[in-house]
Amino acid sequence: MSPPPALALSGALLQAFLATRYTALTPFGPVEIRIGKRHPVLDRELARCGHDRWVYIGACNPRAQLLDDAHNRRRHLHFGRLLARLGRPGWSGHGLPADAAWPPEPAWLVPGLDAALAHRLALRYGQLAYVCGGRETVAELRCSGLSSP
């Protein structure tokens, strides 16, 4: 079963996700991912590491409900440890929203993580959406199917 399309998000929320810059600090330098864009530097590094896909996903602010920094930091670190136990360690980063009313949100760029597992993790951690991509493809917003209260 493929994850639901991003169109399942409300208009304003969808626009917020689409306008966000998804960043990560990687061993080959900082990366910025934009929905609908290709990322050649990331493509090259994926090829070098033997991966053909990636996912950008977090565990903070479940169902788009803002949590305090300490709680988000604990969720982020816990999620990073889970990814490592699953054999898919990621590179830490932040989603940087275009709207300054929402703070930067910690997340992980995870090479080699498949979309099906990403979808299950999104549901487990209350994430409305995540970003998927692969070599020579554009970054795509995926909806988990959850809704905000």
Side-chain angles (χ1 to χ4, degrees):
M1 177 177 112
S2 64
L7 296 176
L9 296 169
S10 72
L13 196 51
L14 174 59
Q15 290 308 310
F17 277 110
L18 294 174
T20 295
R21 294 179 297 128
Y22 301 91
T23 67
L25 295 175
T26 73
F28 51 91
V31 169
E32 181 177 294
I33 295 168
R34 299 301 301 255
I35 305 297
K37 304 288 184 191
R38 289 183 54 196
H39 301 87
V41 172
L42 184 52
D43 290 348
R44 282 192 297 277
E45 291 305 317
L46 284 172
R48 188 180 312 180
C49 298
H51 297 297
D52 61 355
R53 63 185 173 265
W54 54 264
V55 172
Y56 193 93
I57 188 170
C60 299
N61 301 319
R63 292 183 181 254
Q65 298 301 298
L66 195 58
L67 300 177
D68 64 75
D69 288 343
H71 197 141
N72 276 332
R73 196 170 20 261
R74 283 191 301 274
R75 288 178 67 91
H76 180 67
L77 294 173
H78 179 268
F79 192 58
R81 287 190 298 271
L82 173 64
L83 291 167
R85 282 194 309 273
L86 292 171
R88 292 287 179 232
W91 301 312
S92 187
H94 287 85
L96 304 174
D99 182 352
W102 191 265
E105 188 168 312
W108 296 94
L109 173 57
V110 189
L113 186 65
D114 67 79
L117 178 55
H119 185 76
R120 291 192 304 273
L121 291 170
L123 291 173
R124 179 175 175 182
Y125 283 88
Q127 300 302 294
L128 301 181
Y130 51 97
V131 182
C132 292
R135 288 193 308 218
E136 301 182 20
T137 65
V138 298
E140 180 180 314
L141 184 66
R142 301 276 179 96
C143 179
S144 70
L146 295 175
S147 60
S148 58

